[in-house]
């Protein structure tokens, strides 16, 4: 397994990975999350063109996981990190996060941020194990408040959600 920048040809496979990663949410009663649409090809390509889309690939150079991010208020905000369930529990997500962290350091950014479900074992508890901490609502930057508002409009606040941060 290696990590590289995403290419235009990878984008449909990234959507397939996203669809597959929704399935475990079905098993814990989060049907709407399981059924949520993957990012559009245009959205994924926007991250790719900005140099903020990476894929983990297998020996045949086929993506098995991906991460997309954007700069938000001086941090590298992880918009999505998804590992195909068939490739899970091998540290691939962590390696993608480290790739984003390295990119952020090169850009002179201070931290990684993300939003996540607090009660889903492979979400907030996982991120806490790899060095992220919860950001209190009164400490959110304007950009993070905007992201959280957009998520609430999308219905994600039906389940407990939070912002997390890891200093670089």
């Amino acid at each position: 397994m290696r990590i590289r920048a995403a290419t235009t040809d990878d984008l449909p496979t990234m959507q397939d990975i996203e669809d597959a990663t929704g399935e475990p949410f079905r098993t814990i009663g989060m049907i709407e999350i399981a059924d949520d649409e993957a990012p559009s090809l245009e959205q994924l390509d926007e991250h790719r063109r900005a140099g903020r889309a990476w894929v983990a690939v297998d020996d045949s150079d086929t993506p098995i996981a991906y991460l997309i991010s954007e700069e938000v208020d001086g941090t590298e905000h992880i918009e999505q990190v998804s590992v195909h369930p068939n490739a899970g529990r091998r540290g691939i997500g962590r390696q993608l996060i480290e790739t984003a962290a390295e990119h952020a350091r090169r850009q002179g950014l201070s931290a990684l941020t993300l939003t996540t479900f607090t009660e889903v074992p492979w979400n907030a508890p996982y991120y806490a194990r790899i060095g992220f901490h919860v950001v209190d609502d009164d400490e959110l930057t304007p950009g993070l408040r905007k992201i959280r508002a957009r998520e609430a409009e999308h219905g994600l606040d039906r389940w407990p959600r939070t912002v997390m941060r890891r200093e670089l």
Side-chain angles (χ1 to χ4, degrees):
M1 191 278 314
R2 70 181 175 92
I3 295 175
R4 61 168 171 74
T7 67
T8 304
D9 290 342
D10 295 328
L11 303 180
T13 305
M14 292 164 67
Q15 287 181 314
D16 293 342
I17 292 167
E18 187 64 24
D19 289 340
T21 61
E23 288 308 305
F25 286 95
R26 193 175 308 285
T27 66
I28 60 171
M30 296 174 73
I31 307 304
E32 294 86 346
I33 301 303
D35 291 341
D36 196 27
E37 288 187 27
S40 70
L41 293 175
E42 293 78 19
Q43 290 169 316
L44 292 170
D45 197 45
E46 198 173 295
H47 289 281
R48 183 197 63 78
R49 287 190 322 262
R52 287 185 154 97
W54 297 271
V55 291
V57 296
D58 63 15
D59 291 339
S60 65
D61 202 43
T62 302
I64 56 174
Y66 78 93
L67 184 148
I68 55 175
S69 64
E70 62 184 331
E71 184 177 341
V72 175
D73 300 331
T75 70
E76 190 74 17
H77 182 75
I78 298 171
E79 180 70 28
Q80 186 67 40
V81 58
S82 295
V83 178
H84 194 286
N86 293 343
R89 306 192 66 81
R90 296 183 202 160
I92 297 169
R94 178 182 273 196
Q95 290 178 345
L96 282 164
I97 290 168
E98 291 308 318
T99 298
E102 206 41 53
H103 172 81
R105 283 184 194 97
R106 286 193 306 272
Q107 301 299 311
L109 303 177
S110 62
L112 297 176
T113 58
L114 54 82
T115 60
T116 191
F117 294 109
T118 62
E119 297 175 1
V120 174
W122 60 89
N123 278 198
Y126 166 76
Y127 294 120
R129 286 193 303 274
I130 63 170
F132 285 82
H133 67 274
V134 171
V135 177
D136 293 330
D137 286 345
D138 61 347
E139 296 176 358
L140 295 180
T141 63
L144 291 172
R145 285 184 195 284
K146 185 176 177 182
I147 289 168
R148 287 291 295 122
R150 195 170 55 235
E151 290 177 346
E153 288 173 9
H154 192 64
L156 294 179
D157 281 2
R158 180 173 168 205
W159 304 275
R161 242 174 122 66
T162 195
V163 174
M164 298 184 81
R165 178 181 174 108
R166 187 178 102 184
E167 301 303 321
L168 296 176

